[in-house]
Amino acid sequence: MKKKKVNLRDIDPKEHKGEHSHDDGHNHSSQEELSNFRTYLPAIFSFVLLIAGIAIDYFDAFPFFKGWIRVVWYTVAYIPVGFPVIREGWNSILKGDFFTEFFLMSIATLGAFAIGEYPEGVAVMLFYAVGELFQNAAVNRAKRNIKALLDVRPNEALVYRDDDFVSVNPETVEIGEKIQVRVGEKVPLDGILLSDKGSFNTAALTGESKPDTIAKGEKVFAGSINLDGVIEIETTKEFKDSSIARILDMVQNATARKSKTELFIRKFARIYTPIVVFLAIGLTFLPYFFVDDYVFRDWLYRALIFLVISCPCALVISIPLGYFGGLGAASRNGILFKGASFLDAMTKVNTVVMDKTGTVTKGVFKIKEVVNTSTFAEAEFMQYLMAMEEQSTHPIAKAILEYKADGADLEATEVSEVAGKGLKGTVNGKTVLVGNKALMTSNSVEVPSETDSIVESIVMVAIDGKFAGYVTIADELKEDAHQAIKQIREAGISKIIMLSGDKDSITQQVAKELNIDWAKGGLLPEDKLNEVEELKKQPETKVAFIGDGINDAPVLAASGVGIAMGGLGSDVAIETADVIIQTDQPSKIARAIKIGRSTRSIVWQNIGLAFGVKVIVLILGAGGLATMWEAVFADVGVALLAILNAVRLQKMKWKDS
């Protein structure tokens, strides 16, 4: 079967604006139908002539249908489907590539004509043409999936310039500019929501059909569709760095990265084809020296059958198509594989190592508990603490400042930072200390012993030299964190490990809550890398690491499969990783494993089907027990079945356990 490379860069995004009038859509549809009819016309013409010829032969309806009339009839039936293949074979020979499937099919069918097997010669080439039509339909379907993704690429942005919103190309919008998005329009660039709230369809980015409601100050991603009211966004990335541009680039580049299986089959086909040709020549002439009743025509016929059966079409077409389907299916589920090789690698993973913050937790600190031991009311106690924390840029300070305290805001003065300990200042005429136990101890403040058993991050407060209370700060688990660990285990992963830069007590608490096998906290980036390198030294251990931060980049690069959280994750982590979870949901890790396994399963089904049927019919053909019709099935029929099997990936659904 004819090898076709699907180069996604050849798909012109200008042709897919996503906004067509009804008439334009109708004209486009009519032109496509006409084009499809013209494509099928040669095969239909040959099929009608072939069936008519076979019927006349069988019923002997027309006595004159003999000799040169019969030859001309089948020749006319052969030309529409045979000439394009012969031309391709000839062009390949001119380029120095003799042993192609075109060459095999041309020799086999012309040989069939030479020994008078006209219907079989036409049938082989006709079914070859039908198989190619199926192949083209499958490839075009895959292309349409990518075109649908291209449709979500925004082509204009309403940016606020010179006291008005003007329409410009998204590529010209700079970071920090304000853009407006109306109902039903696509968000053109990544940014922060300036409006109070917004509802978005993020299906193109995440594969999730449920609308996503976002509050003021939260991230909005390019390619999302605004569902409710006019909103305003402050851009945080240029168009070329936006989420949708990144997805498109990854999907386009993924097809260029072949799996080892795919590369092996291509190399195998180039060695296999000339071997088949020489074996066919041997099958034609060598029996002359060993068989008493040697008949050249009979052995030539067997050799022609051998050539037809041996054509490696099913392998060289269905295997790349299978991987292509797997990549497309993953992207529709919010999972981006950077190449077919990582689909294969995902199937071999038996140990999952994960970061904590931003991977299984939200990476957003919240006040968990307020303990006030002072004479002040809680609201006033918190006013003192918040006045001090307003002077800090630490993430914990941000969490404290989100507390809603009644009463007038207080202001801190003479604030100084005590390195590694906290803050010292004056609030409402009182000396205030805010920080850790070391800060309290160094200022002779007695701290209750109960604080020693607290696992979470703790911020202590002293007012005028007396311990006034504390707040505990914790990072929230993601909604699907428990489900993610359960599904990873059900996917057959034998060991789950957590490595975190957060303090060990917090890491151990989260690991225990999620039922993770082993955990270690307080790690620097190089410590995480060393831990993974030690794991890799163990025989049969295949490691996947999941992370999201810049500090995870070294270990993402070193692991067997690096998986990055694509929404919250840093650009460095995303660039380094092999797989991107666009939804930031750890539960998608198990689905990525399932998609990889389904893809590999279908690829190996096709390899087994192709080789199994071909070997059986080759033996029958060499022994004179199979005709050209069985050869047609062994070649074209198996190729069709393999293509249809590969297409299943584009329809397959993977349910969460």
Side-chain angles (χ1 to χ4, degrees):
M1 205 138 300
K2 185 176 177 181
K3 288 182 268 188
K4 291 190 183 295
K5 293 182 180 178
V6 183
N7 189 343
L8 303 181
R9 298 187 184 280
D10 292 341
I11 303 172
D12 186 1
K14 295 176 184 176
E15 295 176 2
H16 307 286
K17 303 287 187 184
E19 298 174 3
H20 300 292
S21 68
H22 175 76
D23 290 339
D24 288 345
H26 178 73
N27 290 339
H28 176 73
S29 178
S30 299
Q31 289 173 357
E32 190 173 348
E33 287 174 7
L34 181 60
S35 176
N36 286 340
F37 178 73
R38 287 174 177 166
T39 302
Y40 299 139
L41 193 57
I44 294 170
F45 178 78
S46 292
F47 177 74
V48 171
L49 287 184
L50 175 62
I51 294 300
I54 292 172
I56 294 169
D57 279 337
Y58 184 79
F59 293 106
D60 198 18
F62 301 103
F64 62 84
F65 191 71
K66 289 181 172 45
W68 66 270
I69 294 177
R70 186 168 179 267
V71 174
V72 170
W73 181 277
Y74 284 114
T75 301
V76 172
Y78 178 86
I79 289 172
V81 290
F83 178 73
V85 177
I86 294 172
R87 183 180 58 200
E88 287 287 347
W90 178 249
N91 289 337
S92 298
I93 290 171
L94 292 178
K95 293 174 185 175
D97 191 3
F98 284 83
F99 300 108
T100 63
E101 60 265 40
F102 310 119
F103 177 75
L104 289 184
M105 298 305 289
S106 300
I107 294 298
T109 53
L110 292 174
F113 264 73
I115 61 174
E117 300 292 347
Y118 311 121
E120 293 175 341
V122 175
V124 169
M125 210 50 106
L126 172 62
F127 285 112
Y128 180 84
V130 170
E132 188 157 301
L133 291 174
F134 269 85
Q135 173 213 321
N136 289 340
V139 171
N140 288 335
R141 181 192 181 99
K143 275 188 176 182
R144 282 196 297 273
N145 289 338
I146 302 303
K147 287 178 182 179
L149 187 60
L150 288 172
D151 280 342
V152 304
R153 175 157 40 189
N155 48 40
E156 68 172 0
L158 287 173
V159 62
Y160 191 74
R161 292 175 182 171
D162 299 326
D163 299 325
D164 194 15
F165 285 99
V166 294
S167 178
V168 300
N169 188 312
E171 295 181 13
T172 65
V173 178
E174 297 178 0
I175 296 173
E177 289 198 277
K178 182 166 69 175
I179 58 174
Q180 186 183 81
V181 185
R182 297 165 185 159
V183 178
E185 290 182 347
K186 300 159 195 158
V187 176
L189 298 105
D190 290 356
I192 300 294
L193 186 65
L194 298 176
S195 305
D196 290 334
K197 67 174 183 177
S199 182
F200 301 91
N201 178 347
T202 60
L205 303 175
T206 65
E208 300 295 326
S209 57
K210 186 174 70 174
D212 190 13
T213 301
I214 295 173
K216 183 176 181 178
E218 293 185 336
K219 290 182 179 180
V220 185
F221 296 109
S224 304
I225 298 173
N226 180 24
L227 299 176
D228 185 22
V230 178
I231 59 166
E232 293 181 356
I233 297 168
E234 181 182 324
T235 61
T236 55
K237 290 183 180 179
E238 294 180 1
F239 180 77
K240 64 182 175 66
D241 298 322
S242 67
S243 53
I244 190 64
R246 191 173 66 215
I247 291 171
L248 291 171
D249 184 59
M250 287 180 186
V251 173
Q252 288 177 338
N253 288 331
T255 56
R257 299 180 180 180
K258 308 295 183 187
S259 71
K260 289 182 179 178
T261 309
E262 197 173 347
L263 292 171
F264 169 76
I265 290 298
R266 289 195 177 277
K267 290 178 182 176
F268 171 78
R270 298 192 70 83
I271 299 168
Y272 165 85
T273 307
I275 291 173
V276 163
V277 172
F278 289 118
L279 285 175
I281 293 170
L283 186 59
T284 305
F285 296 106
L286 289 179
Y288 173 79
F289 301 101
F290 305 102
V291 178
D292 293 332
D293 55 345
Y294 174 81
V295 178
F296 173 76
R297 184 188 180 284
D298 292 345
W299 287 99
L300 175 60
Y301 183 68
R302 293 185 188 186
L304 296 175
I305 293 171
F306 188 87
L307 284 178
V308 173
I309 299 167
S310 303
C311 191
C313 311
L315 296 172
V316 298
I317 292 302
S318 66
I319 290 171
L321 191 59
Y323 282 111
F324 192 82
L327 293 170
S331 67
R332 288 197 302 278
N333 280 272
I335 305 162
L336 302 176
F337 284 86
K338 289 186 177 179
S341 58
F342 304 120
L343 276 166
D344 272 350
M346 203 71 183
T347 66
K348 299 171 185 174
V349 169
N350 54 26
T351 302
V352 167
V353 182
M354 57 179 62
D355 179 40
K356 179 183 74 67
T357 307
T359 301
V360 294
T361 68
K362 294 180 179 178
V364 179
F365 292 100
K366 299 263 184 199
I367 292 177
K368 186 175 181 181
E369 185 181 18
V370 177
V371 177
N372 175 26
T373 61
S374 71
T375 57
F376 301 113
E378 182 178 305
E380 191 174 358
F381 164 76
M382 287 300 297
Q383 287 286 4
Y384 277 90
L385 173 57
M386 291 165 68
M388 293 290 290
E389 292 291 7
E390 278 183 346
Q391 309 298 315
S392 174
T393 58
H394 195 279
I396 287 179
K398 184 180 177 183
I400 291 171
L401 292 173
E402 288 180 356
Y403 185 88
K404 306 297 182 186
D406 297 329
D409 291 340
L410 299 178
E411 186 176 346
T413 58
E414 301 174 4
V415 178
S416 61
E417 183 176 353
V418 182
K421 297 180 180 180
L423 302 171
K424 183 177 182 179
T426 302
V427 180
N428 201 22
K430 302 179 187 298
T431 301
V432 180
L433 299 172
V434 172
N436 56 24
K437 186 176 181 179
L439 179 66
M440 302 294 133
T441 303
S442 63
N443 285 273
S444 302
V445 176
E446 188 175 344
V447 178
S449 58
E450 67 188 60
T451 59
D452 294 337
S453 61
I454 295 173
V455 174
E456 294 87 0
S457 297
I458 183 170
V459 178
M460 300 179 181
V461 182
I463 300 175
D464 279 345
K466 292 184 179 180
F467 188 80
Y470 60 88
V471 296
T472 57
I473 309 292
D475 188 5
E476 288 183 278
L477 284 174
K478 290 182 178 178
E479 288 83 357
D480 65 332
H482 286 279
Q483 179 190 9
I485 302 303
K486 178 174 175 283
Q487 290 175 1
I488 290 170
R489 290 198 188 283
E490 289 173 349
I493 301 302
S494 58
K495 188 182 291 185
I496 304 175
I497 296 169
M498 179 178 286
L499 301 176
S500 177
D502 205 346
K503 67 181 188 178
D504 190 58
S505 57
I506 295 175
T507 303
Q508 297 298 339
Q509 184 188 44
V510 172
K512 185 178 179 181
E513 187 176 349
L514 292 176
N515 193 29
I516 287 172
D517 299 320
W518 185 76
K520 193 172 184 180
L523 300 174
L524 296 171
E526 54 267 34
D527 298 327
K528 289 184 183 180
L529 181 61
N530 291 336
E531 292 288 345
V532 169
E533 291 290 358
E534 286 300 315
L535 284 170
K536 287 168 63 180
K537 289 178 183 177
Q538 298 174 15
E540 306 301 319
T541 298
K542 302 296 181 184
V543 179
F545 182 86
I546 306 113
D548 72 310
I550 293 174
N551 62 330
D552 293 325
V555 68
L556 282 168
S559 56
V561 181
I563 304 172
M565 294 292 160
L568 293 173
S570 74
D571 289 342
V572 176
I574 289 165
E575 286 299 316
T576 308
D578 308 313
V579 183
I580 315 298
I581 306 294
Q582 190 64 24
T583 61
D584 274 340
Q585 295 172 288
S587 57
K588 289 291 178 86
I589 296 162
R591 193 174 297 185
I593 294 170
K594 291 176 185 176
I595 291 172
R597 287 176 180 169
S598 295
T599 303
R600 189 158 180 81
S601 174
I602 280 179
V603 165
W604 280 103
Q605 285 170 18
N606 286 345
I607 291 173
L609 175 70
F611 276 115
V613 174
K614 282 180 183 291
V615 167
I616 292 169
V617 182
L618 274 173
I619 294 169
L620 294 174
L625 300 174
T627 68
M628 195 74 80
W629 296 104
E630 284 85 357
V632 168
F633 172 75
D635 174 47
V636 181
V638 170
L640 289 179
L641 291 174
I643 288 168
L644 292 172
N645 193 33
V647 168
R648 282 198 305 127
L649 274 167
Q650 298 174 33
K651 288 282 188 182
M652 207 174 277
K653 304 217 179 272
W654 292 267
K655 292 182 180 179
D656 296 326
S657 302

